């Protein structure tokens, strides 16, 4: 593997421990419509994402492959595709038997255990729309989502059920409890008991064949203002999820794949459920919170080969210890590592390359886009600090405020030409919001992110639209300043916002989390300030730096909440 530094930029040449799946594809002549046509010809109108994820492998002789490895302290369980089929069949029968009809919404609120996956797939198999909730959600968040969706059923457990405000949800008909603790007098069902009464015959024909455009899964995503919005995806999304699993995750038959997110976040469904199962891979499912030693030990113990995580996790691993920590584990099984969710700091790419001996491949997409759109493919050069290039068949543009395309190199609104397979189907009960994503005659999907594209097509993230800082007329992207901040040894994490200032409109204010070896002092903060100034420019160096114990982050995807910090500033 070779690296060069051009100016400040780290460039990692294509390196792959084996042939990448994408290598034979001619990106210029690839069209998603052709791909669609093949699926349509094959499925003949009989679509069901759960069938494609599970049953197809059994029907085609791959039933004995391990679908899931579940690890939780001393528990270590393996579940084959055949077992997954039997389980989801029976669950789906129970769901149907309770009167759930095609297209109705069934929610899940479960920790990251195999049943969090099995229930979602069973709901989809039964033709209903799955609404996976993140386990850390509290009552208000759960209420808002289930109420908006007229959820008819929820599958949860004895620990989490108290957060479901059943009496305030008029559409809710059934509460199923996974494991012990169902309160039958209150009308709750014990899931395992229900499963026992399912007959072989009913399980054999439970799959509901649907149209490609029927609802499959709904994820709620919070914008900067207003209520969370329900982003509905239909069964056709699997066309792109399967392909990106093959090309971008580079999944192959013998891979052990680990996606660290919970199915309540779109990464945990598109790339925790659909992409790996559609490709017949083996997925590692871990419960519990982040712990550097535990995470490294999982890679060693289960020989993880493909690993999809987020910048916040990589930054925490880096902060947890250097070479002496990493050397305690054998991480040589890793052959392909990816990141999503937030801008991936060049410093982290450098760390991955030098300490973990891997290239970390950034990927960009959103809940609304259903699958990856801008990617670093395994057989291509990585420019640290760039999210990569558009996936084959995807066209992106940088638009000005009137919807005109900007030339290469200029920062503007990151937009994608409409029509990729996994694009959201609708925003639940909010047609107006849906339309607002397509402001310019409907041709472009406007993401709400700001970015520029270089001459070679690499896309560089700047900020969310609302997070851009304007100081004395200079536009400053927080990501670049944050990335410079964390190159200082004392800084583990950083968030940068604009603080209102009479003279300059806004000034750059930095919030940092310090490495435990360093103690806060005015001299240290000034040193950090000058460090950034020396790397970027005087106007981009934070005028103020405040030390925090931790940065506020979204609960599901761990994104830094700059908006809160801005209010605080
Ligand atoms: C999958 C997911 C979407 C927003 C997106 C952007 C940010 C995601 C990123 C990234 C920089 C990347 N984002 N990937 N920013 N580089 N590689 O994260 O979906 O939770 O809906 O968030 O996340 O701002 O617009 P979601």
């Amino acid at each position: 593997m070779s690296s060069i530094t051009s100016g400040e930029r780290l460039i990692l040449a294509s390196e792959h421990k084996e042939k990448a799946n994408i290598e034979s594809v001619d990106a210029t002549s690839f069209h998603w419509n052709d791909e669609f046509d093949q699926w349509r010809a094959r499925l003949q109108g009989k679509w069901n994402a759960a069938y494609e994820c599970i049953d197809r492998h059994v029907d085609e002789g791959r039933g004995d492959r391990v679908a899931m490895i579940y690890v939780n302290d001393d528990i270590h369980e393996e579940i084959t595709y055949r077992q997954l089929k039997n389980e989801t069949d029976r669950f789906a029968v129970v769901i149907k038997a309770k009167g759930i009809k095609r297209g109705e919404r069934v929610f899940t609120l479960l920790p990251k255990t195999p049943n969090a996956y099995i229930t979602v797939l069973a709901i989809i198999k039964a033709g209903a729309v799955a609404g996976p909730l993140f386990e850390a959600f509290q009552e208000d968040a759960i209420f808002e989502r289930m109420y908006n969706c007229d959820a008819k059923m929820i599958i949860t457990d004895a620990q989490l059920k108290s957060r479901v405000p059943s009496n305030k949800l008029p559409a809710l008909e059934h509460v199923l409890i996974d494991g012990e603790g169902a309160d039958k007098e209150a009308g709750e069902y014990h899931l395992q008991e229900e499963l026992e009464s399912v007959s072989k015959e009913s399980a054999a024909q439970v799959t509901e064949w649907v149209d490609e455009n029927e609802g499959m899964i709904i994820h709620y995503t919070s914008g900067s203002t207003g209520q969370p919005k329900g982003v509905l995806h239909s069964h056709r999304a699997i066309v792109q999820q399967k392909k990106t699993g093959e090309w971008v995750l580079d999944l192959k038959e013998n891979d052990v794949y680990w996606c660290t997110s919970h199915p309540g976040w779109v990464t945990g469904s598109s790339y925790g459920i659909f992409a790996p199962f559609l490709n017949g891979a083996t997925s590692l499912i871990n419960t519990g919170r982040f712990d550097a030693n535990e995470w490294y030990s999982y890679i060693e113990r289960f020989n993880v080969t493909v690993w999809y995580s987020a910048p916040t996790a990589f930054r925490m691993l880096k902060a947890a210890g250097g070479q002496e920590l990493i050397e305690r584990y054998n991480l040589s099984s890793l052959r392909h590592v990816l990141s999503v969710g937030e801008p991936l700091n060049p410093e982290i790419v450098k760390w991955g390359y030098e300490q973990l001996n891997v290239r970390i491949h950034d990927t960009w997409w959103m809940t609304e886009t259903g699958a990856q759109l801008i990617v670093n493919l395994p057989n291509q050069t990585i420019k640290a600090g760039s999210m990569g290039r558009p996936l084959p068949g995807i066209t992106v543009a940088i638009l000005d405020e009137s919807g005109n395309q900007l030339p290469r190199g200029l920062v503007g609104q990151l937009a994608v030409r409409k029509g990729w397979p996994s694009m959201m189907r609708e925003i639940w009960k909010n047609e107006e919001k849906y339309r607002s994503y397509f402001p310019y005659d409907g041709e472009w999907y406007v993401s709400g992110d700001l970015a520029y594209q270089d001459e070679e097509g690499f896309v560089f993230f700047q900020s969310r639209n609302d997070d851009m800082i304007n100081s004395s007329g200079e536009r400053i992207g927080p990501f670049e300043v944050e990335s410079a901040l964390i190159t200082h040894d004392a800084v583990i994490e950083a968030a940068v916002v604009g603080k209102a200032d009479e003279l300059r409109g806004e000034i750059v204010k930095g919030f940092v989390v310090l490495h435990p070896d360093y103690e806060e002092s005015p001299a240290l903060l000034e040193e950090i300030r000058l460090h950034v100034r020396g790397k970027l420019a005087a106007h981009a160096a934070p005028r103020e730096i405040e030390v925090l114990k931790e940065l506020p982050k979204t609960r599901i995807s761990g994104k830094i909440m700059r908006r809160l910090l801005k209010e605080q500033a």
Side-chain angles (χ1 to χ4, degrees), residues 154-285:
I154 185 160
I155 305 167
T156 184
D157 68 17
Q159 278 71 47
L160 296 167
K161 70 176 184 182
S162 63
R163 300 196 202 146
V164 182
S166 310
N167 52 352
K168 289 196 254 166
L169 295 166
L172 186 66
E173 288 174 5
H174 305 290
V175 177
L176 267 65
I177 303 297
D178 179 21
E180 298 305 307
D183 182 353
K184 290 189 183 160
E185 269 162 37
E188 295 171 3
Y189 295 93
H190 179 208
L191 185 57
Q192 278 70 21
E193 227 174 81
E194 300 289 316
L195 290 173
E196 273 162 30
S197 59
V198 173
S199 73
K200 266 218 161 82
E201 299 72 51
S202 55
Q205 348 188 343
V206 70
T207 304
E208 190 75 21
W209 300 113
V210 299
D211 177 75
E212 64 182 61
N213 289 317
E214 283 182 63
M216 165 174 86
I217 195 163
I218 191 161
H219 285 286
Y220 278 76
T221 167
S222 312
S224 45
T225 52
Q227 305 281 92
K229 27 184 207 295
V231 178
L232 179 74
H233 285 286
S234 52
H235 286 251
R236 59 186 268 166
I238 58 175
V239 171
Q240 192 175 345
Q241 288 160 348
K242 169 133 198 290
K243 259 291 173 257
T244 48
E246 187 184 316
W247 287 348
V248 185
L249 303 180
D250 201 38
L251 292 173
K252 297 182 165 84
E253 200 172 305
N254 294 321
D255 274 316
V256 177
Y257 167 71
W258 184 24
C259 170
T260 55
S261 77
H262 183 281
W265 181 28
V266 71
T267 300
S269 72
S270 293
Y271 295 98
I273 302 179
F274 302 115
F277 292 149
L278 285 164
N279 284 291
T282 298
S283 267
L284 176 66
I285 314 290

Side-chain angles (χ1 to χ4, degrees), residues 265 341-343 362-367 387 449 461 464 559:
W265 181 28
E342 276 198 298
D362 198 9
T363 61
W364 176 89
W365 57 292
M366 306 172 67
T367 305
M387 311 189 288
D449 286 351
F461 179 87
R464 286 295 294 168
K559 293 192 211 312

